């Protein structure tokens, strides 16, 4: 038997370096090339433009809104899982996996039906007399957040469930015996233990938001533009690759910063309960 | 000193029944919010109407008939075929790179694994849209035009780590003495791989293959840059149909894809259940 397993790793390592790290390095290099030579022109032009600046802010805002809404809906589902029996737990996992594994375009299509003028939301509001005439939530920020929340929800539920299924019931029983009510147990026992899962989920949700080109284009419409569409427009319509590279680097940086911040928080022992 | 009931009221400003209502009521509602769009997409596909009016106007299979018609939906059939081909090849490529890496990493020291692993897993967390663009720029430099093969390569790079992660979870649980025993008993390196290591890894490899296949089939952000005009992939074709005309055939396509997901999920549970 060979002493080291390193030779087996070489093909994938080479693949990763040659076809992943190198293109990203080239992308970063490309972003500094401008008509006036090498420099920060593209970045200055991108950030100097008021429209682009708004797009950047809106994208960050969309990411934040998606993170908050998925957390608000995901935590109750995770708690429902925690308080359920074996069969109900299996059902919850199954119900989470179906939407997660269903194509993104299919889920986006479902939201076109839901948000449209002839969709269930509009019809219900009209039937109840809450709206005078049919309305559409397509091309609105609210509609987009509703859709993004549903699409990214499994990404936050699954890490939470993974943690909760490893926590022994004795932890909360001990708190209960000591006289803590359910809310107190939630705040002092369950939530601190769920925090690493939340951090992992937030990274996944943010990464997904920054790549959900189709959902943003279709539901957001022409009025709500986000960074992924901006990159695609520079490549597909304007053929300005260096500019597209600069925007992509901004996107990479924002994800990278979030990733580092989350990793630092999750290593902070006093903030995170060790599950 | 406070009485115990007073103490309890201070400890729990919110009553316990409200907690139950919150978890079971709000939790169930959230679960419905998560699943309802899938149900709506399926029921929409059986509409007899011309529009996306919901609830649907009557029941019919007309959109499925239109979708399976080889003449009317030729482009869609080609797109579906392309997507299946790319996904299948991406699984194959992931197998070739990720499975040896898993076996190798399982034999290495923890410190070395800690250094190399983030490098292998990086494509999973960095925005794939940025990667798609980067790959296009480099391919263009080297003189490759966007094509089916370039798309496959991109998918292997971005989704191969999924295979690695799924297989290495299983590899961590395998006792290394099993392979050692096989070698000691006189089996060759290849026999040990074929008869001991790979069968033990199989649940992880299957789970990885399943993930790579599903992700590749659904990918837009890489294919958007690396696929040429001739190799339209299914998600991009659906995107085009949605943007152009809101064709109700998209509902039928959604129905087919959801059914496919359900079947694959049920099969995967059957196959992978004993290993858990």
């Amino acid at each position: 038997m060979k002493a080291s397993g390193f030779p087996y790793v070489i093909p994938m390592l080479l693949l990763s370096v040659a076809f992943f790290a190198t293109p990203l390095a080239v992308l970063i290099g490309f972003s500094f090339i401008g008509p006036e030579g090498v420099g920060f022109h593209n970045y200055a032009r991108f950030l100097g433009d008021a429209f682009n600046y708004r797009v950047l802010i809106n994208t960050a805002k969309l990411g934040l809104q998606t993170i908050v809404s998925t957390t608000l809906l995901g935590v109750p589902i995770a708690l429902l899982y925690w308080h359920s029996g074996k069969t109900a737990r299996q059902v919850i996992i199954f119900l989470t996996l179906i939407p997660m594994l269903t194509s993104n375009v299919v889920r986006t299509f479902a939201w076109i039906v839901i948000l449209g003028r002839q969709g269930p939301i509009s019809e219900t509001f009209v039937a109840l007399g809450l709206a005078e005439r049919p309305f559409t939530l397509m091309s609105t920020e609210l509609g987009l957040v509703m859709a993004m929340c549903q699409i990214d929800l499994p990404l936050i539920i699954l890490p939470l469930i993974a943690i909760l299924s490893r926590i022994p019931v004795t932890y909360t029983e001990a708190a209960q015996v000591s006289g803590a009510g359910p809310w107190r147990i939630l705040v002092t026992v369950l939530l601190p233990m769920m925090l690493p899962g939340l951090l992992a989920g937030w990274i996944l949700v943010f990464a997904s938001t920054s790549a959900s080109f189709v959902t943003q284009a279709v539901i957001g419409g022409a009025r709500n533009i986000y960074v992924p569409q901006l990159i695609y427009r520079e490549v597909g319509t304007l053929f300005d690759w260096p500019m597209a590279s600069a925007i992509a680097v901004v996107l990479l940086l924002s994800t990278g910063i979030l990733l580092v911040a989350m990793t630092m928080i999750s290593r902070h022992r006093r903030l995170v309960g060790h599950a | 000193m406070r009485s115990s009931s007073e103490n309890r009221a201070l400890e729990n400003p919110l009553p316990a029944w409200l907690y139950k209502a919150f978890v079971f009521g709000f939790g169930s509602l959230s679960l419905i919010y998560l699943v309802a769009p899938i149900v709506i997409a399926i029921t929409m596909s059986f509409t007899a109407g011309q529009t996306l009016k919901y609830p649907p106007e009557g029941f019919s299979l007309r959109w499925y008939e239109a979708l399976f018609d080889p003449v009317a939906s030729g482009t869609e059939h080609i797109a579906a075929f392309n997507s299946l081909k790319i996904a299948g090849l991406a699984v194959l490529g992931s197998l070739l790179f990720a499975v040896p890496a898993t076996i190798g990493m399982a034999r290495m020291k923890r410190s070395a694994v800690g250094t190399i692993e983030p490098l292998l897993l990086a494509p999973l967390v960095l925005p794939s849209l940025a990667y798609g663009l980067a790959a296009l720029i480099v391919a263009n430099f080297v003189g490759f035009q966007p094509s089916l093969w370039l798309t496959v390569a991109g998918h292997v790079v971005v989704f191969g780590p999924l295979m690695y992660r799924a297989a290495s979870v299983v590899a961590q649980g395998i006792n290394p003495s099993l392979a050692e025993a096989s070698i000691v008993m006189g089996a060759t390196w290849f026999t040990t791989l074929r008869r001991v290591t790979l069968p033990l890894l199989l649940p992880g490899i299957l789970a990885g293959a399943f993930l790579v296949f599903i992700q590749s089939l659904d990918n837009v952000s890489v294919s958007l840059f690396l696929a040429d005009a001739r190799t339209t992939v299914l998600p991009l074709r659906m995107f085009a149909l949605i943007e152009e005309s809101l064709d109700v055939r998209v509902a039928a396509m959604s129905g087919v894809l959801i059914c496919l997901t359900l079947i694959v999920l049920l099969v995967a549970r059957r196959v992978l259940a004993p290993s858990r």
Side-chain angles (χ1 to χ4, degrees):
Chain A
M1 186 166 166
K2 288 196 186 70
S4 165
F6 188 66
Y8 293 85
V9 186
I10 291 174
M12 189 160 179
L13 204 56
L14 278 180
L15 182 82
S16 197
V17 170
F19 291 100
F20 188 76
T22 310
L24 286 184
V26 171
L27 180 85
I28 295 170
F30 224 75
S31 70
F32 291 107
I33 298 172
E36 306 102 60
V38 178
F40 286 91
H41 317 290
N42 292 317
Y43 292 96
R45 196 151 61 88
F46 174 61
L47 295 172
D49 187 299
F51 174 76
N52 291 340
Y53 194 69
R54 274 229 64 78
V55 170
L56 203 60
I57 299 285
N58 281 344
T59 308
K61 210 171 108 193
L62 179 69
L64 204 68
Q65 284 168 326
T66 312
I67 282 176
V68 170
S69 54
T70 47
T71 308
L72 285 179
L73 297 189
V75 170
I77 293 178
L79 290 174
L80 188 67
Y81 174 86
W82 171 251
H83 290 287
S84 294
K86 204 164 169 261
T87 321
R89 284 187 167 194
Q90 296 253 315
V91 171
I92 293 174
I93 291 181
F94 195 68
L95 290 183
T96 309
L97 284 177
I98 298 171
M100 176 162 147
L101 297 173
T102 301
S103 160
N104 241 314
V105 186
V106 170
R107 285 184 280 171
T108 303
F109 170 74
W111 279 98
I112 298 175
V113 176
I114 296 170
L115 299 172
R117 204 174 295 280
Q118 296 180 305
I121 295 181
S122 164
E123 304 259 301
T124 311
F125 269 68
V126 171
L128 291 176
L130 293 168
E132 277 179 27
R133 57 179 74 85
F135 61 93
T136 177
L137 285 169
M138 290 287 286
S139 301
T140 64
E141 205 181 18
L142 175 68
L144 182 58
V145 173
M146 286 170 73
M148 293 291 294
C149 172
Q150 189 264 335
I151 289 173
D152 287 344
L153 201 48
L155 299 178
I156 218 151
I157 298 174
L158 290 178
L160 289 181
I161 282 181
I163 285 184
L164 286 179
S165 58
R166 269 180 286 157
I167 299 180
V169 195
T170 45
Y171 279 39
T172 51
E173 278 174 356
Q176 214 169 3
V177 169
S178 316
W183 289 104
R184 198 181 167 91
I185 294 176
L186 173 66
V187 174
T188 57
V189 182
L190 287 175
L191 281 183
M193 292 215 266
M194 281 155 82
L195 194 58
L198 277 179
L199 293 173
W202 290 342
I203 293 174
L204 292 175
V205 168
F206 192 82
S208 155
T209 324
S210 66
S212 52
F213 174 79
V214 170
T215 314
Q216 288 165 5
V218 172
I219 312 261
R223 265 187 289 155
N224 300 286
I225 305 285
Y226 299 92
V227 172
Q229 287 140 280
L230 218 51
I231 295 177
Y232 186 64
R233 195 188 60 176
E234 293 291 343
V235 177
T237 319
L238 305 173
F239 296 102
D240 191 346
W241 288 14
M243 188 62 176
S245 306
I247 307 174
V249 170
V250 171
L251 192 66
L252 270 173
L253 272 181
S254 60
T255 314
I257 290 170
L258 192 77
L259 211 63
V260 171
M262 295 291 175
T263 316
M264 273 162 75
I265 295 174
S266 63
R267 285 196 182 147
H268 201 290
R269 290 237 157 238
R270 289 174 73 184
L271 279 176
V272 181
H274 21 96
Chain B
M1 202 170 163
R2 289 193 300 257
S3 75
S4 92
S5 67
E6 205 180 324
N7 199 357
R8 187 164 279 247
L10 280 171
E11 290 269 309
N12 305 307
L14 292 164
W17 65 265
L18 200 64
Y19 178 79
K20 279 219 171 86
F22 170 68
V23 169
F24 290 95
F26 199 59
S28 310
L29 281 180
S30 304
L31 214 51
I32 291 172
Y33 186 79
L34 178 64
V35 182
I38 304 293
V39 178
I40 286 174
I42 294 179
T43 42
M44 185 79 251
S45 66
F46 294 110
T47 185
Q50 293 275 8
T51 61
L52 296 179
K53 185 173 163 52
Y54 199 91
E57 302 166 298
F59 174 90
S60 87
L61 291 174
R62 60 183 285 201
W63 298 107
Y64 283 96
E65 278 163 23
L67 181 63
F68 287 109
D69 188 283
V71 182
S73 301
T75 324
E76 286 70 32
H77 291 194
I78 293 171
F81 184 67
N82 280 336
S83 276
L84 287 173
K85 200 156 126 190
I86 291 171
L89 290 168
V91 169
L92 214 63
S94 307
L95 277 174
L96 288 176
F97 286 99
V99 173
T102 309
I103 295 171
M105 290 289 252
R107 294 183 190 174
M108 283 165 69
K109 289 200 197 87
R110 269 196 79 88
S111 58
V113 171
T115 335
I116 299 175
E117 200 160 56
L119 215 64
L120 298 185
L121 292 177
L124 290 182
V125 281
L126 294 176
S128 51
L129 198 75
Y131 174 70
L133 174 62
L136 174 68
I137 291 173
V138 170
N140 199 60
F141 258 135
V142 198
F144 282 129
Q145 291 301 313
S147 68
L148 188 135
W149 293 102
L150 203 61
T151 315
V152 170
H155 283 202
V156 171
V157 172
V158 175
F159 303 127
L162 287 172
M163 171 79 81
Y164 169 77
R165 204 172 53 178
S168 64
V169 168
V170 175
Q172 277 163 11
I174 297 177
N175 189 343
S177 356
L178 289 171
E180 279 165 33
S182 160
I183 300 279
V184 171
M185 301 298 272
T188 61
W189 163 85
F190 185 69
T191 313
T192 306
L193 184 72
R194 196 167 56 88
R195 303 285 296 270
V196 180
T197 312
L198 283 183
L200 285 170
L201 269 182
L202 195 64
I205 294 174
L206 286 176
F210 168 64
L211 287 173
V212 172
F213 192 82
I214 291 263
Q215 289 288 329
S216 167
L217 207 58
D218 185 32
N219 181 269
V220 168
S221 47
V222 175
S223 309
L224 195 63
F225 294 108
L226 298 185
D228 56 324
R230 268 191 320 129
T231 40
T232 337
V233 291
L234 193 60
L236 282 174
R237 180 62 200 150
M238 287 175 78
F239 177 44
L241 279 178
I242 289 173
E243 289 272 83
E244 282 162 18
S245 54
L246 263 186
D247 195 320
V248 186
R249 273 183 305 164
V250 179
M253 289 162 114
S254 300
V256 171
L257 284 174
I258 292 169
C259 277
L260 211 72
T261 314
L262 267 175
I263 292 168
V264 174
L265 190 59
L266 288 171
V267 170
R269 275 174 63 91
R270 220 0 97 68
V271 174
L272 300 175
S275 70
R276 295 247 165 110

